[in-house]
Amino acid sequence: MAINTSSNRIYVTNYNSNNVSVIDGKTNTVIAAIPVGTNPWGAAINPSTNSIYVSNRYSYTISVIDGISNVVIATLVGSISGMRPADLGINPVTNRIYGTNYDNNNNVSVIDGLTHTVIETISVGTNPYGVAVNPNTNRIYISNSGAHNVSVIDGVSNAVIATIAVGTNPGGIGVNVKTNMIYVSNENDDTVYVIRGLTNELLGSIAVGDAPWKIDINP
């Protein structure tokens, strides 16, 4: 799911239906079902442009949805760009979208939100999955589930500037833009690790329930 707090619309990827449900946050009703690619997985929104990005895992594409018309206005094709996207993250300030290619080449695709083209491919760890972006610092955090670490990308140079060891099979990742703390859920050891964004220092871990996956943050 992804939420546009400006328009009060919620977007839900329906993995087996190959579409995206649009919910009106005021009435709690589904107002549209938008066909996308095969097995839609991740979703991210740029509230500045009212564009919604959906990763379609098994058609190797990313669908770009216009939030006003609720139609797909562009499709990024994996056979051209080398994508097999899992999760997505957006920097609304720079209008850059970051997609992890979990099953393909262990890298991250950087997409220009203006042209809807892949402008850079960044090598990270094994099986990158989660994406978290801090637009205040222009840092992008990637959880590498196969490598059990987090890659820190500088959004200006598109280079990995740090690699931080975390728990086993990290999946979900989120950043608190107010405190610049990063939280990583580790599915196989039932923990959430906390990283200080200023120094890329691992502060410790929090024991949680069985097999934690996604993370969301109230800044």
Side-chain angles (χ1 to χ4, degrees), residues 134-214:
N134 188 339
N136 295 334
T137 61
N138 201 7
R139 294 287 185 269
I140 302 91
Y141 301 89
I142 308 296
S143 61
N144 303 304
S145 61
H148 316 304
N149 59 29
V150 169
S151 297
V152 183
I153 297 171
D154 173 48
V156 176
S157 63
N158 286 328
V160 175
I161 58 173
T163 302
I164 306 163
V166 291
T168 308
N169 196 25
I173 187 167
V175 58
N176 187 326
V177 297
K178 295 288 184 66
T179 64
N180 198 17
M181 296 294 187
I182 298 90
Y183 300 84
V184 187
S185 62
N186 303 289
E187 183 186 24
N188 287 5
D189 62 10
D190 308 332
T191 59
V192 171
Y193 275 45
V194 185
I195 298 168
R196 189 191 305 278
L198 182 63
T199 59
N200 293 323
E201 172 191 5
L202 184 64
L203 298 182
S205 64
I206 305 165
V208 292
D210 187 28
W213 191 245
K214 293 294 286 184

Side-chain angles (χ1 to χ4, degrees), residues 1-177:
M1 296 173 62
I3 297 172
N4 188 333
T5 55
S6 299
S7 65
N8 198 11
R9 294 286 187 269
I10 299 94
Y11 299 84
V12 183
T13 55
N14 302 305
Y15 187 79
N16 289 332
S17 299
N18 301 327
N19 61 23
V20 173
S21 296
V22 185
I23 299 171
D24 184 328
K26 185 176 182 180
T27 62
N28 289 328
T29 56
V30 175
I31 59 173
I34 306 168
V36 288
T38 306
N39 300 129
W41 188 263
I45 292 172
N46 187 340
S48 301
T49 61
N50 200 7
S51 298
I52 301 91
Y53 298 83
V54 177
S55 60
N56 306 300
R57 290 208 63 192
Y58 290 104
S59 58
Y60 313 107
T61 60
I62 292 177
S63 299
V64 185
I65 298 170
D66 174 63
I68 296 176
S69 62
N70 287 328
V71 298
V72 174
I73 57 173
T75 302
L76 284 76
V77 181
S79 60
I80 298 173
S81 62
M83 296 183 306
R84 188 169 183 179
D87 205 9
L88 297 167
I90 289 180
N91 186 333
V93 176
T94 62
N95 199 14
R96 294 288 185 267
I97 300 91
Y98 301 87
T100 52
N101 299 306
Y102 182 86
D103 301 308
N104 190 30
N105 300 327
N106 301 322
N107 57 32
V108 173
S109 297
V110 185
I111 299 161
D112 185 332
L114 183 63
T115 62
H116 299 140
T117 57
V118 175
I119 58 173
E120 191 81 37
T121 301
I122 306 168
S123 296
V124 289
T126 308
N127 300 129
Y129 176 78
V131 185
V133 179
N134 188 339
N136 295 334
T137 61
N138 201 7
R139 294 287 185 269
I140 302 91
Y141 301 89
I142 308 296
S143 61
N144 303 304
S145 61
H148 316 304
N149 59 29
V150 169
S151 297
V152 183
I153 297 171
D154 173 48
V156 176
S157 63
N158 286 328
V160 175
I161 58 173
T163 302
I164 306 163
V166 291
T168 308
N169 196 25
I173 187 167
V175 58
N176 187 326
V177 297

